[in-house]
Amino acid sequence: MSKTLVEKIWDAHVVKSETGFPDILYIDTHLIHEVTSPQAFDGLRKRGLPVLRPKQTVATADHNVPTINQLLPIKEELSRYQVDMLTKNCAEFGIELYGLGHPFQGIVHVIGPELGITLPGKTMVCGDSHTSTHGAFGAIAFGIGTSQVEQVFATQCLLQQKPKTMKIEVNGKLEKGVTAKDIILYIIAKISAAGGTGYFIEYAGSAIEALSMEARMTICNMSIEMGARGGLIAPDQTTFDYIKGREFAPAGAEWDKALEYWKTLYSDADATFDSVLKFSAEDIAPMITYGTNPGMGMGIKEHIPSTNSQPDKEQLSYQKALDYMGFKDDSSLIGKPIDYVFIGSCTNSRIEDLREVAEFVKDKQKAENVTVWIVPGSKQVEQQAKNEGLDKIFEHAGFQLREPGCSACLGMNEDKIPAGKYCVSTSNRNFEGRQGPNARTLLVSPLTAAAAAVTGRITDVRDLLVEA
Amino acid sequence: MRKFVRLTSAIVPLNIENIDTDQIIPARFLKATTREGFGENLFRDWRYNGDNTPKPEFVLNDPTYNGQVLVAGKNFGCGSSREHAAWAIQDAGFDVVISSFFADIFKGNALNNGLLPIQVSDDFLSAIFTAVGKNHKAQLDVDLENQTVTIADTGEQTNFEINPYKKSCLINGYDDIDFILDQKSLIEEFEQKR
């Protein structure tokens, strides 16, 4: 019987399937961090259980860490306690921890791929909704709650309903200045913040196949922003080339065996999806969000849709979002002054993102009215940026290159955007208060963020690329 | 896990769509390492001003409304996977959340804690908001055994769906870990076969 990629991987991991019950799904790799794990470890203690497969579990500290002076004790007491708890819990339960100071430390969804832990055909979970990132390798990867973290600790399995499948095809060639982030913001704007709920999404088509692994991660990362449990892309030569030689990737005979299996990981030509959507790359412009959910996005030169054009029942929430942002119906955002630029997060903090920004800002400087933070996704990304001299370019531009962590993506650690300020951000969520109480977030690609940093205003990066 | 069988209660209406888990509990309040105490920061930034004084117009600060059923607009619980959102709602005294659409992860988290998420039609959701608009003390009857929600004032009733396994977990107060651990030998067999 023909199968989709999701079905192939899912079926290979079902421990038990019984009518009337969710499947018992085996989990190959469990990633954990300091925020969503302590209550799960406590649960194990209360039940008197060990972590069943500690070697299939990897930990890092990312959400709650400062991004300057990381080797000093964390100033904020509760944050410090939470990070210390992770260290203690990992030691007690025998889990490898890449904590602060470790050369592998970083955002959980950046380190998995760069260490060769994320591999095609795997099932992977983490107590973080952006676990969908790992789907870029052709893995089933999704975010879970803390009770489920405890479940995976205790059993290396999860009780899960098999998801519905959706295929999103993007064909054609992207215009210069348009990137993977714009593709995914475009898709979300088209299908809404709830349009993918209940589905696992497979991204396909020539525009997706042409993307690098890091760009594919940006796409899969934001699957959750349309409500999808996960998103994935069939592995191909780009995938295999990226994985080969990484720290924990298979090598030698193991590599050959793995590769043989990975090459079977694609949706069969006649496999049926529950839903299929198609988009043209040529229709996609650099995107920006204007509201308080990632579905409220538009081409950067477009005007904000009017409240009246929204369905009746949604007008109140829509108006509330525009009021929060300080924006008006039918207005354009081009030329609007901004206060902060944040380049980072599990969506866009990898070396290619930093290279792209550096190439654009080389010999340029930030506008005076803007504070610019660049937060690399991991110690390895940070080191690579320095090896390539990107740090000098950022320094000259007046950008702050900070240390790895989730930083201003989520307003949890020390890095917060002040109330009322506008932040042009490469992160994934523009919810009210996401980057700090009353902060206003505009989601964009790294290239669009770099353009805003240089002009101090919302800018169509294509206009600057033409000049260059 | 907390059991749930049946409840008759007044309603706390929150007619806003796309309520994300950052609104339910902002990230800066996720630093606790236990499951308790998150209720005081439920809807923190809608409920309190920057100086921690309550915003009187917000429904949770309005003594007119109380009850163990939270009723909210569609796509409730979107965003982050933080289970703290379900803990905060429960800790603030709610046993049921009703919406016309739930985000997947939130729904799973709620069920894993004995907080019952009930999806109803847009029309039934509107009927609840209308009923509570007319009578702030309007009561809802939530019957898990029969999978029904009834607006007491009007007698309007709807059925709701729930996975039969999850239903029995709620009624009996047992959780997924108990269920899987009962079949641990299957896991080891699976690992050996691969």
Side-chain angles (χ1 to χ4, degrees):
Chain A
M1 199 188 86
S2 54
K3 287 181 176 180
T4 65
L5 175 55
V6 167
E7 287 163 337
K8 283 184 184 177
I9 303 172
W10 188 279
D11 293 349
H13 288 84
V14 172
V15 171
K16 187 182 180 188
S17 188
E18 190 181 345
T19 311
F21 293 89
D23 289 346
I24 300 181
L25 187 74
Y26 190 79
I27 302 302
D28 293 316
T29 300
H30 187 193
L31 303 167
I32 64 166
H33 61 84
E34 73 278 21
V35 179
T36 56
S37 65
Q39 294 85 352
F41 282 116
D42 260 356
L44 288 184
R45 282 191 201 96
K46 283 185 189 137
R47 293 174 200 257
L49 292 171
V51 171
L52 185 69
R53 298 287 176 255
K55 297 274 181 277
Q56 288 168 237
T57 315
V58 176
T60 191
D62 56 3
H63 283 65
N64 224 337
V65 302
T67 59
I68 43 173
N69 296 325
Q70 271 186 345
L71 295 182
L72 296 179
I74 300 174
K75 278 184 246 162
E76 221 268 325
E77 191 187 334
L78 289 174
S79 300
R80 188 174 67 241
Y81 183 72
Q82 203 172 51
V83 172
D84 288 348
M85 279 293 282
L86 180 69
T87 309
K88 185 175 156 288
N89 284 329
C90 287
E92 181 181 336
F93 288 92
I95 292 167
E96 184 81 59
L97 167 66
Y98 303 133
L100 286 178
H102 194 286
F104 294 164
Q105 180 266 337
I107 303 175
V108 64
H109 310 309
V110 174
I111 70 168
E114 78 182 3
L115 291 171
I117 293 167
T118 304
L119 297 173
K122 270 191 171 182
T123 48
M124 302 179 67
V125 294
C126 175
D128 188 285
S129 60
H130 293 111
T131 308
S132 57
T133 311
H134 307 268
F137 291 79
I140 285 189
F142 55 94
I144 56 176
T146 297
S147 293
Q148 293 172 307
V149 171
E150 184 182 341
Q151 206 178 120
V152 180
F153 278 160
T155 68
Q156 203 58 38
C157 290
L158 270 180
L159 274 186
Q160 283 288 303
Q161 296 284 355
K162 196 171 186 173
K164 292 184 287 181
T165 56
M166 179 188 286
K167 180 158 86 161
I168 297 183
E169 263 186 48
V170 187
N171 288 300
K173 201 166 178 298
L174 293 173
E175 187 185 344
K176 195 170 165 50
V178 180
T179 65
K181 182 65 165 287
D182 301 305
I183 297 180
I184 192 65
L185 285 173
Y186 177 85
I187 295 172
I188 301 166
K190 287 285 175 196
I191 77 169
S192 92
T197 306
Y199 291 96
F200 240 86
I201 298 172
E202 180 175 345
Y203 302 95
S206 60
I208 302 293
E209 287 160 21
L211 297 173
S212 70
M213 278 322 293
E214 298 197 354
R216 293 179 190 184
M217 286 186 235
T218 299
I219 302 260
C220 290
N221 171 275
M222 290 191 72
S223 303
I224 182 69
E225 307 313 334
M226 32 190 166
R229 283 311 297 276
L232 82 178
I233 296 171
D236 59 10
Q237 198 56 44
T238 304
T239 321
F240 310 144
D241 291 346
Y242 177 96
I243 297 168
K244 195 159 193 181
R246 292 190 180 264
E247 186 78 23
F248 300 111
E254 289 287 310
W255 170 265
D256 296 338
K257 195 176 147 207
L259 192 62
E260 196 184 330
Y261 172 56
W262 297 345
K263 286 183 172 170
T264 68
L265 296 174
Y266 52 83
S267 288
D268 295 327
D270 51 351
T272 48
F273 291 84
D274 297 300
S275 172
V276 177
L277 299 172
K278 291 185 184 186
F279 300 103
S280 293
E282 288 80 6
D283 293 342
I284 306 175
M287 295 289 293
I288 191 162
T289 60
Y290 53 85
T292 56
N293 71 63
M296 298 175 79
M298 63 180 182
I300 196 158
K301 283 215 165 95
E302 290 174 35
H303 288 226
I304 294 174
S306 66
T307 305
N308 286 338
S309 69
Q310 307 302 314
D312 282 355
K313 281 182 182 166
E314 293 169 22
Q315 290 187 6
L316 200 67
S317 301
Y318 187 85
Q319 190 57 55
K320 184 175 181 295
L322 292 193
D323 289 347
Y324 179 86
M325 293 301 293
F327 294 152
K328 293 201 159 47
D329 279 3
D330 302 314
S331 59
S332 164
L333 293 180
I334 292 286
K336 179 165 183 49
I338 51 122
D339 308 293
Y340 282 78
V341 170
F342 172 60
I343 295 168
S345 86
C346 56
T347 315
N348 284 119
S349 63
R350 298 180 179 82
I351 190 66
E352 285 179 15
D353 299 315
L354 270 54
R355 279 182 196 142
E356 191 170 50
V357 170
E359 188 185 72
F360 179 82
V361 303
K362 195 167 190 209
D363 304 323
K364 296 189 183 82
Q365 282 183 311
K366 73 169 188 74
E368 272 188 18
N369 59 308
V370 184
T371 301
V372 186
W373 291 341
I374 299 205
V375 184
S378 70
K379 287 311 270 186
Q380 294 207 79
V381 171
E382 181 188 23
Q383 190 55 50
Q384 181 72 21
K386 287 179 178 169
N387 293 348
E388 296 180 16
L390 307 188
D391 55 332
K392 298 287 183 291
I393 295 172
F394 295 142
E395 194 184 334
H396 176 264
F399 293 11
Q400 292 177 34
L401 179 62
R402 298 167 76 98
E403 293 171 277
C406 297
S407 186
C409 175
L410 85 165
M412 173 165 201
N413 49 70
E414 295 167 7
D415 304 347
K416 293 186 184 73
I417 306 303
K421 299 292 184 190
Y422 287 99
C423 180
V424 167
S425 178
T426 69
S427 53
N428 40 56
R429 290 193 172 131
N430 52 351
F431 297 152
E432 280 184 37
R434 173 75 179 180
Q435 296 193 289
N438 289 309
R440 293 151 157 174
T441 303
L442 302 128
L443 300 177
V444 297
S445 73
L447 208 47
T448 297
V454 167
T455 61
R457 292 164 186 279
I458 295 170
T459 304
D460 186 338
V461 69
R462 291 171 297 184
D463 297 341
L464 302 184
L465 293 172
V466 172
E467 277 172 31
Chain B
M1 198 182 72
R2 201 190 286 188
K3 288 186 189 186
F4 184 95
V5 181
R6 188 169 182 165
L7 173 73
T8 301
S9 163
I11 301 156
V12 177
L14 196 50
N15 194 359
I16 300 172
E17 298 190 338
N18 295 310
I19 295 178
D20 58 76
T21 52
D22 277 85
Q23 305 320 312
I24 298 171
I25 178 110
R28 61 187 193 281
F29 300 109
L30 306 185
K31 300 187 187 207
T33 53
T34 61
R35 289 174 183 242
E36 293 78 33
F38 290 102
E40 63 182 276
N41 293 313
L42 177 66
F43 298 116
R44 179 77 200 192
D45 294 333
W46 287 350
R47 200 165 149 198
Y48 297 99
N49 293 302
D51 61 3
N52 295 330
T53 54
K55 296 180 179 177
E57 70 280 10
F58 186 62
V59 67
L60 260 66
N61 294 328
D62 183 344
T64 317
Y65 299 100
N66 55 46
Q68 294 144 265
V69 182
L70 180 67
V71 182
K74 81 170 180 200
N75 201 24
F76 185 83
C78 57
S80 154
S81 63
R82 60 189 69 161
E83 194 160 313
H84 312 67
W87 299 336
I89 292 169
Q90 220 169 23
D91 195 54
F94 295 103
D95 293 313
V96 176
V97 187
I98 296 179
S99 175
S100 55
F101 198 83
F102 286 94
D104 275 340
I105 306 180
F106 174 81
K107 192 172 170 182
N109 287 341
L111 287 168
N112 283 339
N113 285 278
L115 173 69
L116 178 61
I118 298 179
Q119 184 169 323
V120 297
S121 67
D122 284 328
D123 288 344
F124 197 81
L125 190 71
S126 295
I128 299 176
F129 284 130
T130 304
V132 75
K134 283 184 188 157
N135 169 16
H136 297 167
K137 301 290 176 203
Q139 301 269 310
L140 276 188
D141 179 55
V142 177
D143 181 346
L144 178 57
E145 197 77 64
N146 293 306
Q147 297 177 222
T148 57
V149 179
T150 312
I151 305 172
D153 286 8
T154 63
E156 288 167 281
Q157 189 179 76
T158 190
N159 294 302
F160 64 88
E161 305 248 327
I162 183 167
N163 177 286
Y165 162 75
K166 277 296 174 191
K167 178 177 171 178
S168 69
C169 284
L170 281 170
I171 289 173
N172 297 301
Y174 63 69
D175 67 21
D176 290 354
I177 297 182
D178 301 330
F179 180 83
I180 305 177
L181 280 177
D182 275 351
Q183 317 185 55
K184 204 172 157 192
S185 61
L186 289 178
I187 300 168
E188 280 153 14
E189 274 171 39
F190 177 86
E191 287 177 325
Q192 278 156 19
K193 265 195 313 205
R194 304 184 84 197

